[in-house]
C-alpha cells in the first residue's frame, strides 16, 4: 500500500517536472524589458547624464543597494569606450558596463556583462526622443534567455521585477534632469 502511494507520488512529480520543462522549452530564446518616461528637459541635458558612468550614483537604483559597493572606471570619461566595473553585495552583484554606441542627444548603448549573482551578457539602451519641451526617455535591456532563465520565468515575472527598477531609475533621472 505504501509502495503504491510512493510510486503514484513519484509519477505525479515526474509529470509535473516534465510539464515545467516542456513549458520552459517553449518560452522565447530572448527577452526585452523596457520602460519609458517623459522628462521636462532637453535631450542634451539627459544625454550628458546617461553618457557618463560617474553620474550613476545620483540616479541609478542599483547604486543605493550597497553603500560599500566597489566601483572602477576606465577608458574615456564618457561616451564610446567608457567602462564601469562594479562589485557589490548580493543585491548588486558584480559586473561590467561598456558604452558601445553614443549618438549625441539620441541614444546610448551599453554592453552589460554580469559575473555575479549569475553570468549574463545583455544589451542596455537609452533612447531619447524630443517631444516639444520634454524628452521621452526609454531604458531597455535585452539579451538571450538560457534554459534555466526560461524555467525561472515560469515562476518569477522578470519583466515586472526589472521593470520596477527601471521605473525607479527613470523617476530619479527625471528628478535630476529637471532641477
Amino acid at each position: 500500500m505504501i509502495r503504491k502511494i510512493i510510486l503514484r507520488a513519484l509519477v505525479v512529480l515526474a509529470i509535473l517536472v516534465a510539464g515545467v520543462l516542456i513549458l520552459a522549452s517553449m518560452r522565447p530564446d530572448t527577452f526585452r524589458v523596457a520602460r519609458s518616461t517623459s522628462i521636462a528637459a532637453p535631450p542634451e541635458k539627459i544625454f550628458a547624464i546617461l553618457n557618463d558612468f560617474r553620474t550613476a550614483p545620483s540616479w541609478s537604483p542599483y547604486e543605493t543597494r550597497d553603500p560599500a559597493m566597489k566601483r572602477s572606471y576606465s577608458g574615456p570619461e564618457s561616451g564610446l569606450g567608457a567602462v564601469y566595473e562594479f562589485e557589490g553585495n548580493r543585491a548588486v552583484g558584480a559586473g561590467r558596463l561598456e558604452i558601445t554606441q553614443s549618438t549625441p542627444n539620441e541614444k546610448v548603448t551599453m554592453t552589460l556583462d554580469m559575473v555575479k549573482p549569475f553570468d549574463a551578457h545583455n544589451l542596455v539602451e537609452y533612447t531619447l526622443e524630443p517631444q516639444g519641451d520634454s524628452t521621452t526617455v526609454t531604458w531597455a535591456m535585452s539579451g538571450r534567455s538560457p534554459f534555466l532563465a526560461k524555467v525561472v520565468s515560469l515562476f518569477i515575472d522578470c519583466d515586472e521585477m526589472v521593470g520596477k527598477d527601471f521605473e525607479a531609475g527613470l523617476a530619479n533621472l527625471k528628478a535630476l534632469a529637471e532641477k
Side-chain angles (χ1 to χ4, degrees):
M1 178 76 164
I2 292 178
R3 278 187 168 166
K4 282 186 178 182
I5 294 172
I6 291 173
L7 183 58
R8 284 184 184 162
L10 289 175
V11 168
V12 169
L13 180 62
I15 291 170
L16 288 174
V17 169
V20 166
L21 296 178
I22 289 168
L23 284 173
S25 71
M26 294 189 293
R27 305 283 296 182
D29 291 332
T30 59
F31 75 92
R32 185 171 193 275
V33 176
R35 297 294 188 273
S36 298
T37 195
S38 179
I39 299 177
E44 52 272 8
K45 184 172 185 180
I46 301 164
F47 177 81
I49 296 167
L50 297 173
N51 202 43
D52 183 351
F53 288 125
R54 288 169 178 82
T55 66
S58 63
W59 68 272
S60 174
Y62 302 106
E63 294 286 333
T64 59
R65 293 193 177 151
D66 182 4
M69 182 168 58
K70 297 175 187 166
R71 300 170 182 85
S72 66
Y73 306 94
S74 59
E77 277 195 31
S78 65
L80 186 64
V83 173
Y84 171 55
E85 293 181 79
F86 58 93
E87 185 174 351
N89 60 21
R90 290 175 46 185
V92 173
R96 178 181 192 273
L97 281 158
E98 180 176 354
I99 297 177
T100 56
Q101 180 185 358
S102 178
T103 306
N105 310 326
E106 291 180 18
K107 187 176 199 175
V108 178
T109 304
M110 307 168 184
T111 55
L112 168 60
D113 296 311
M114 291 296 296
V115 179
K116 293 178 186 175
F118 50 83
D119 188 57
H121 306 282
N122 299 320
L123 187 68
V124 176
E125 295 178 305
Y126 298 96
T127 55
L128 310 171
E129 296 178 45
Q131 304 287 325
D133 291 341
S134 64
T135 303
T136 299
V137 180
T138 301
W139 182 357
M141 182 172 67
S142 58
R144 288 184 51 254
S145 288
F147 189 73
L148 183 58
K150 293 179 187 185
V151 172
V152 169
S153 74
L154 293 173
F155 304 99
I156 298 172
D157 187 345
C158 295
D159 182 86
E160 183 180 319
M161 184 174 65
V162 174
K164 286 180 183 178
D165 291 340
F166 285 12
E167 290 165 9
L170 288 170
N172 295 341
L173 179 63
K174 178 180 177 79
L176 177 65
E178 289 180 353
K179 280 186 185 177

